[in-house]
PDB file of all heavy atoms in Angstrom:
ATOM      1  N   ASP A 160      18.491  -0.840 -27.543  1.00  0.00           N
ATOM      2  CA  ASP A 160      17.537   0.211 -27.917  1.00  0.00           C
ATOM      3  C   ASP A 160      18.182   1.272 -28.808  1.00  0.00           C
ATOM      4  O   ASP A 160      19.361   1.605 -28.656  1.00  0.00           O
ATOM      5  CB  ASP A 160      17.010   0.911 -26.655  1.00  0.00           C
ATOM      6  CG  ASP A 160      16.135  -0.001 -25.827  1.00  0.00           C
ATOM      7  OD1 ASP A 160      15.670  -1.024 -26.357  1.00  0.00           O
ATOM      8  OD2 ASP A 160      15.934   0.303 -24.642  1.00  0.00           O
ATOM      9  N   LEU A 161      17.374   1.816 -29.673  1.00  0.00           N
ATOM     10  CA  LEU A 161      17.828   2.909 -30.534  1.00  0.00           C
ATOM     11  C   LEU A 161      17.338   4.220 -29.934  1.00  0.00           C
ATOM     12  O   LEU A 161      16.137   4.385 -29.703  1.00  0.00           O
ATOM     13  CB  LEU A 161      17.185   2.690 -31.908  1.00  0.00           C
ATOM     14  CG  LEU A 161      17.836   3.254 -33.142  1.00  0.00           C
ATOM     15  CD1 LEU A 161      19.265   2.758 -33.312  1.00  0.00           C
ATOM     16  CD2 LEU A 161      17.000   2.829 -34.354  1.00  0.00           C
ATOM     17  N   THR A 162      18.266   5.131 -29.653  1.00  0.00           N
ATOM     18  CA  THR A 162      17.844   6.424 -29.106  1.00  0.00           C
ATOM     19  C   THR A 162      17.634   7.429 -30.255  1.00  0.00           C
ATOM     20  O   THR A 162      18.075   7.200 -31.392  1.00  0.00           O
ATOM     21  CB  THR A 162      18.910   7.012 -28.155  1.00  0.00           C
ATOM     22  OG1 THR A 162      20.096   7.229 -28.913  1.00  0.00           O
ATOM     23  CG2 THR A 162      19.183   6.100 -26.974  1.00  0.00           C
ATOM     24  N   VAL A 163      17.016   8.527 -29.892  1.00  0.00           N
ATOM     25  CA  VAL A 163      16.814   9.595 -30.866  1.00  0.00           C
ATOM     26  C   VAL A 163      18.177  10.065 -31.392  1.00  0.00           C
ATOM     27  O   VAL A 163      18.366  10.285 -32.602  1.00  0.00           O
ATOM     28  CB  VAL A 163      16.029  10.760 -30.209  1.00  0.00           C
ATOM     29  CG1 VAL A 163      16.002  11.985 -31.111  1.00  0.00           C
ATOM     30  CG2 VAL A 163      14.602  10.311 -29.874  1.00  0.00           C
ATOM     31  N   ALA A 164      19.174  10.172 -30.496  1.00  0.00           N
ATOM     32  CA  ALA A 164      20.517  10.624 -30.902  1.00  0.00           C
ATOM     33  C   ALA A 164      21.151   9.660 -31.911  1.00  0.00           C
ATOM     34  O   ALA A 164      21.842  10.089 -32.845  1.00  0.00           O
ATOM     35  CB  ALA A 164      21.400  10.759 -29.672  1.00  0.00           C
ATOM     36  N   HIS A 165      20.909   8.332 -31.739  1.00  0.00           N
ATOM     37  CA  HIS A 165      21.434   7.357 -32.708  1.00  0.00           C
ATOM     38  C   HIS A 165      20.911   7.672 -34.106  1.00  0.00           C
ATOM     39  O   HIS A 165      21.652   7.637 -35.087  1.00  0.00           O
ATOM     40  CB  HIS A 165      20.948   5.935 -32.375  1.00  0.00           C
ATOM     41  CG  HIS A 165      21.706   5.265 -31.268  1.00  0.00           C
ATOM     42  ND1 HIS A 165      21.080   4.611 -30.226  1.00  0.00           N
ATOM     43  CD2 HIS A 165      23.029   5.122 -31.041  1.00  0.00           C
ATOM     44  CE1 HIS A 165      21.973   4.116 -29.401  1.00  0.00           C
ATOM     45  NE2 HIS A 165      23.173   4.412 -29.875  1.00  0.00           N
ATOM     46  N   ILE A 166      19.633   8.000 -34.191  1.00  0.00           N
ATOM     47  CA  ILE A 166      19.017   8.241 -35.501  1.00  0.00           C
ATOM     48  C   ILE A 166      19.503   9.566 -36.099  1.00  0.00           C
ATOM     49  O   ILE A 166      19.810   9.647 -37.288  1.00  0.00           O
ATOM     50  CB  ILE A 166      17.479   8.228 -35.392  1.00  0.00           C
ATOM     51  CG1 ILE A 166      17.011   6.802 -35.068  1.00  0.00           C
ATOM     52  CG2 ILE A 166      16.828   8.719 -36.687  1.00  0.00           C
ATOM     53  CD1 ILE A 166      15.521   6.599 -35.050  1.00  0.00           C
ATOM     54  N   TYR A 167      19.630  10.577 -35.252  1.00  0.00           N
ATOM     55  CA  TYR A 167      20.028  11.895 -35.767  1.00  0.00           C
ATOM     56  C   TYR A 167      21.532  12.010 -36.030  1.00  0.00           C
ATOM     57  O   TYR A 167      21.991  12.951 -36.674  1.00  0.00           O
ATOM     58  CB  TYR A 167      19.524  13.003 -34.825  1.00  0.00           C
ATOM     59  CG  TYR A 167      18.123  13.433 -35.193  1.00  0.00           C
ATOM     60  CD1 TYR A 167      17.038  12.625 -34.881  1.00  0.00           C
ATOM     61  CD2 TYR A 167      17.885  14.614 -35.887  1.00  0.00           C
ATOM     62  CE1 TYR A 167      15.747  12.981 -35.244  1.00  0.00           C
ATOM     63  CE2 TYR A 167      16.604  14.985 -36.253  1.00  0.00           C
ATOM     64  CZ  TYR A 167      15.537  14.166 -35.927  1.00  0.00           C
ATOM     65  OH  TYR A 167      14.266  14.534 -36.291  1.00  0.00           O
ATOM     66  N   GLU A 168      22.301  11.041 -35.477  1.00  0.00           N
ATOM     67  CA  GLU A 168      23.754  10.942 -35.753  1.00  0.00           C
ATOM     68  C   GLU A 168      24.487  12.281 -35.808  1.00  0.00           C
ATOM     69  O   GLU A 168      25.020  12.677 -36.833  1.00  0.00           O
ATOM     70  CB  GLU A 168      23.981  10.214 -37.081  1.00  0.00           C
ATOM     71  CG  GLU A 168      23.806   8.725 -36.955  1.00  0.00           C
ATOM     72  CD  GLU A 168      24.263   8.014 -38.224  1.00  0.00           C
ATOM     73  OE1 GLU A 168      23.517   8.029 -39.202  1.00  0.00           O
ATOM     74  OE2 GLU A 168      25.372   7.476 -38.204  1.00  0.00           O
ATOM     75  N   GLY A 169      24.461  12.981 -34.682  1.00  0.00           N
ATOM     76  CA  GLY A 169      25.248  14.219 -34.623  1.00  0.00           C
ATOM     77  C   GLY A 169      24.446  15.471 -34.934  1.00  0.00           C
ATOM     78  O   GLY A 169      24.789  16.551 -34.487  1.00  0.00           O
ATOM     79  N   ALA A 170      23.401  15.337 -35.730  1.00  0.00           N
ATOM     80  CA  ALA A 170      22.543  16.513 -36.014  1.00  0.00           C
ATOM     81  C   ALA A 170      21.716  16.816 -34.766  1.00  0.00           C
ATOM     82  O   ALA A 170      21.571  15.959 -33.892  1.00  0.00           O
ATOM     83  CB  ALA A 170      21.634  16.217 -37.188  1.00  0.00           C
ATOM     84  N   ARG A 171      21.198  18.066 -34.700  1.00  0.00           N
ATOM     85  CA  ARG A 171      20.449  18.432 -33.494  1.00  0.00           C
ATOM     86  C   ARG A 171      19.006  17.911 -33.566  1.00  0.00           C
ATOM     87  O   ARG A 171      18.246  18.332 -34.447  1.00  0.00           O
ATOM     88  CB  ARG A 171      20.461  19.949 -33.345  1.00  0.00           C
ATOM     89  CG  ARG A 171      20.445  20.316 -31.883  1.00  0.00           C
ATOM     90  CD  ARG A 171      20.705  21.774 -31.678  1.00  0.00           C
ATOM     91  NE  ARG A 171      19.668  22.274 -30.797  1.00  0.00           N
ATOM     92  CZ  ARG A 171      19.229  23.489 -30.803  1.00  0.00           C
ATOM     93  NH1 ARG A 171      19.712  24.363 -31.639  1.00  0.00           N
ATOM     94  NH2 ARG A 171      18.303  23.850 -29.952  1.00  0.00           N
TER      95      ARG A 171
END
Side-chain angles (χ1 to χ4, degrees):
D160 292 343
L161 205 57
T162 62
V163 170
H165 281 133
I166 292 185
Y167 272 75
E168 283 189 282
R171 212 170 130 209

